[in-house]
Amino acid sequence: MDHKHSHNHRKSYNEFGHVHELTFSCYNNIKFFKSDVYCQWFADSLSNACGSLNFSLWAYVFMPDHIHLIVHPEQSIYSISDFLKQVKQPFSRKVLSYLRSNSPE
């Protein structure tokens, strides 16, 4: 087997009534979440995703280079992948736009 091209893929489960523990790690272990601004941006993105996709946020912890969440979908049919996308994408776009404008290096 060619290990150079093997990838670890996250398996998503969409089981009614289940709670999901999610972890987000920062690119290259950069300590983005030492910044109150980035923490607030992520919290806003998380709140928007929970509201639009009907998820409850049960617990969270922000660490300097990663975040842990426990969320519960309130609907019987849902996609944890869609939830992840709605949390991460707006936050990532905002951070990248900010960095390109203020720290292009």
Side-chain angles (χ1 to χ4, degrees):
M1 179 176 177
D2 183 2
H3 292 286
K4 290 188 295 186
H5 292 73
S6 65
H7 299 281
N8 291 330
H9 291 282
R10 174 186 46 79
K11 175 75 173 144
S12 293
Y13 296 94
N14 299 303
E15 299 286 334
F16 178 62
H18 284 201
V19 185
H20 295 267
E21 187 278 327
L22 306 171
T23 299
F24 302 93
S25 297
C26 295
Y27 176 75
N28 284 341
N29 296 321
I30 296 171
K31 296 184 179 351
F32 280 112
F33 297 108
K34 287 180 89 171
S35 162
D36 289 342
V37 171
Y38 291 163
C39 288
Q40 185 60 57
W41 289 350
F42 190 89
D44 292 344
S45 184
L46 178 59
S47 178
N48 291 338
C50 284
S52 68
L53 295 175
N54 204 17
F55 276 68
S56 294
L57 177 62
W58 284 15
Y60 64 91
V61 62
F62 285 25
M63 303 300 287
D65 63 349
H66 66 284
I67 292 175
H68 298 283
L69 308 173
I70 299 177
V71 296
H72 180 258
E74 298 297 328
Q75 296 177 316
S76 59
I77 298 173
Y78 68 93
S79 168
I80 199 67
S81 295
D82 288 347
F83 177 78
L84 291 168
K85 183 178 178 180
Q86 282 213 15
V87 171
K88 291 172 150 183
Q89 206 169 60
F91 172 74
S92 298
R93 286 181 179 157
K94 193 167 193 170
V95 169
L96 287 172
S97 175
Y98 176 82
L99 290 174
R100 285 181 183 125
S101 296
N102 296 288
S103 300
E105 66 283 350

